[in-house]
Amino acid sequence: MALRQIRTEGDEILRKPSREITKINHNVKILVEDMLETMEHANGVGLAAPQVGILKRVVVINVGEGPLVLINPEIVETQGEQINLEGCLSVPGKAGEVNRPTYVKVKAQNIEDDMFFVEGTELLAIALCHEIDHLDGQLFIDIAESIEEE
Ligand code: CO
């Protein structure tokens, strides 16, 4: 496993759409392991592949309940609204209030290529939305109602 460099705002790769994973091969498994290690090292709750310069639809999340790996994640249901302060490893020094659903249901594949659903509320709902936005080149600062510089 290896730490990967986290790209920051201004890096064009963060603005590009990521491609679907069609085959979960060795490279994808290495990418996932490296992303988990990089997220943990940076004390992040989530990381998307474009943040380490790879335009593939892979997300890792850990809101304190253990690591979650999502390949080709898709939001299939949302409910409610919550406004919370968000930050991002790719946008250091900034935080912003973002409106997100209170409940999200996501369909994805795991590293064994099995399809599964994950349901999230509170912080997990936010993390799921935030990380999936990265796969479409969107950052929280694009949709934040206000931005604070730290
Ligand atoms: Co982020």
Side-chain angles (χ1 to χ4, degrees):
M1 295 211 286
L3 291 178
R4 303 227 182 174
Q5 192 200 333
I6 297 177
R7 307 298 185 94
T8 52
E9 194 196 351
D11 190 321
E12 299 240 311
I13 206 149
L14 292 172
R15 295 313 195 164
K16 294 181 176 166
S18 290
R19 287 180 296 275
E20 199 149 314
I21 300 259
T22 50
K23 189 162 183 280
I24 301 174
N25 59 20
H26 184 67
N27 284 345
V28 173
K29 290 181 181 178
I30 297 291
L31 172 66
V32 166
E33 285 181 11
D34 288 354
M35 285 174 63
L36 286 166
E37 191 181 353
T38 304
M39 171 177 68
E40 192 179 332
H41 185 260
N43 288 316
V45 298
L47 193 67
Q51 292 183 273
V52 293
I54 305 290
L55 291 172
K56 289 182 177 166
R57 303 191 79 85
V58 180
V59 157
V60 295
I61 289 174
N62 191 344
V63 293
E65 297 162 1
L68 196 56
V69 175
L70 301 120
I71 295 169
N72 300 324
E74 268 177 68
I75 293 173
V76 293
E77 194 185 332
T78 64
Q79 286 172 25
E81 282 185 26
Q82 57 175 333
I83 296 175
N84 275 293
L85 206 56
E86 262 175 57
C88 178
L89 294 174
S90 292
V91 191
K94 286 186 190 171
E97 303 246 300
V98 184
N99 194 344
R100 301 285 194 189
T102 50
Y103 166 88
V104 191
K105 185 174 181 182
V106 170
K107 177 183 156 186
Q109 286 151 263
N110 67 16
I111 200 71
E112 308 299 338
D113 203 5
D114 300 315
M115 202 258 278
F116 71 104
F117 289 91
V118 57
E119 294 174 291
T121 60
E122 299 172 357
L123 180 57
L124 182 55
I126 295 169
L128 286 164
C129 294
H130 178 118
E131 300 311 328
I132 292 171
D133 280 351
H134 274 297
L135 303 181
D136 297 317
Q138 181 162 279
L139 301 175
F140 81 93
I141 46 174
D142 304 342
I143 53 170
E145 295 178 7
S146 61
I147 303 278
E148 294 169 17
E149 308 256 351
E150 287 169 349

